[in-house]
Amino acid sequence: RERQGDVRRDRLRWEAWLDCVRFFFSSRSTTRMDHSEKLKRMYPHLSSLGIDEMSAAPPFYRLVWILGLRVAPPYFGNILSITMVLGTPMFVIFCIMGWLLDWPRPFEPDDSVLAWIAARAMVGYAIGLFFAVKYRYKARKLHLPSWARYSGT
């Protein structure tokens, strides 16, 4: 019986891990509609729901799309992808600001560079997580589908 419990527990862990992987990649587009075509249809649809264009596609998302990455817009992405897209620029901005403000003495002898970077990463990704929760809450409230299932209506 103890062996069966271990096998069952391992199977549940494996299934949970697979669910996490599926969840992370759930915002990938699998329909026949092109990513740019979905974006064109998204703007009027979200506008009819009362969401302005800058909120539907923030500047960092537009930059990611210009770079050629097909990331789901924030109202259609999952929490992890939204956190990464919005948290990474915040992390970089906080690193640059911290370096500029501490420029005459960037590090004291007792300071750790890793701790300095980790503190800015925590703040940047915490802000990204805050916005991710905000976007997902509003998307759920508006009953928006995932980006893979989105048809523009």
Side-chain angles (χ1 to χ4, degrees), residues 61-133:
Y61 272 87
R62 292 169 193 246
L63 179 64
V64 168
W65 295 331
I66 288 171
L67 294 174
L69 299 173
R70 294 181 178 178
V71 178
Y75 284 103
F76 300 95
N78 58 46
I79 287 191
L80 185 59
S81 67
I82 300 168
T83 301
M84 296 306 289
V85 172
L86 295 178
T88 301
M90 297 307 294
F91 162 60
V92 171
I93 288 169
F94 281 125
C95 282
I96 292 170
M97 283 176 42
W99 182 78
L100 289 175
L101 294 175
D102 272 351
W103 180 70
R105 49 168 191 72
F107 299 107
E108 297 295 325
D110 296 336
D111 289 347
S112 167
V113 176
L114 188 59
W116 187 86
I117 292 172
R120 275 134 185 94
M122 286 177 22
V123 171
Y125 287 111
I127 291 171
L129 181 62
F130 169 77
F131 281 108
V133 170

Side-chain angles (χ1 to χ4, degrees), residues 6-19:
D6 289 342
V7 170
R8 211 175 288 137
R9 203 173 310 115
D10 289 343
R11 185 170 166 235
L12 288 174
R13 285 183 188 148
W14 178 251
E15 288 174 1
W17 183 83
L18 284 176
D19 286 343

